[in-house]
Amino acid sequence: MTDQDTTHFGYRQVPKKEKARHVGQVFSSVASKYDLMNDLMSMGVHRLWKRFTIELSSVRPGHSILDIAGGTGDLTMQFADRVGADGEVVLADINQEMLEVGRDRLTDRGYGGRISYVQADAENLPFPDNHFNVVSIAFGLRNVTDKDQALREMTRVLKPGGKLLILEFSKPVNPLVSKAYDAYSFTALPIMGKLVAGDSESYRYLAESIRMHPDQETLKGMMEEAGLVQCRYHNMTAGVVALHSGVKP
């Protein structure tokens, strides 16, 4: 098997055609505790990262929004509030369990008829060209096998002038922060995952997948290669997380 046939799953090399299944098993395992673990892992700061993402989106009433890897719907709900009754919001996720948790959560909060739910692969989006004003993907791109193909697909479904937003763990800009972050990720996260979700291995994978994700400048270049312009990024929490944005010309 050649390097072209394999990809990384955390620090392991696996056949490309099997990565989606491995990632699916991780998220099926953690779906029911996903929101609780997000709050614990980030000490609640993930809410501020997502709020900044919404503010940067410039979403207005009547817009069409696609939230890829939308999971339990944190961004989806806020997009729905902003687009209003005349807008369109689609929560897409490749994982059926995550999609069900998100649908149940949003239905319980009164969003039932305002959001569409689609099980979809970011590398092959089942949507027409030039359809959405905003496409977002939060903490999902690092799990995609072919990131370049996914970026091309996200660009394809954007309207001209539409914006892609990628919120993702990235590379800390301070060496001391980086060292502390490594210690936390590979020690505390698996322990937390074991105690709260009954699954330390899935959270070990999540820590590894963050380290294997492209750094800020590399991802910016990949977005430009996909055809986006005005590509930039904002580091948050000393670069632990970065929000990338780009516009379809």
Side-chain angles (χ1 to χ4, degrees), residues 56 143 199:
L56 198 71
N143 298 309
D199 184 350

Side-chain angles (χ1 to χ4, degrees), residues 69-112:
T72 56
D74 279 353
L75 287 178
T76 308
M77 281 188 285
Q78 296 182 65
F79 282 133
D81 289 339
R82 297 214 172 194
V83 302
D86 295 328
E88 174 193 21
V89 180
V90 179
L91 191 165
D93 204 293
I94 195 172
N95 184 273
Q96 182 64 33
E97 285 85 356
M98 289 293 290
L99 202 60
E100 289 174 358
V101 169
R103 181 166 49 219
D104 290 347
R105 181 186 183 213
L106 270 60
T107 300
D108 288 346
R109 297 191 180 198
Y111 290 88

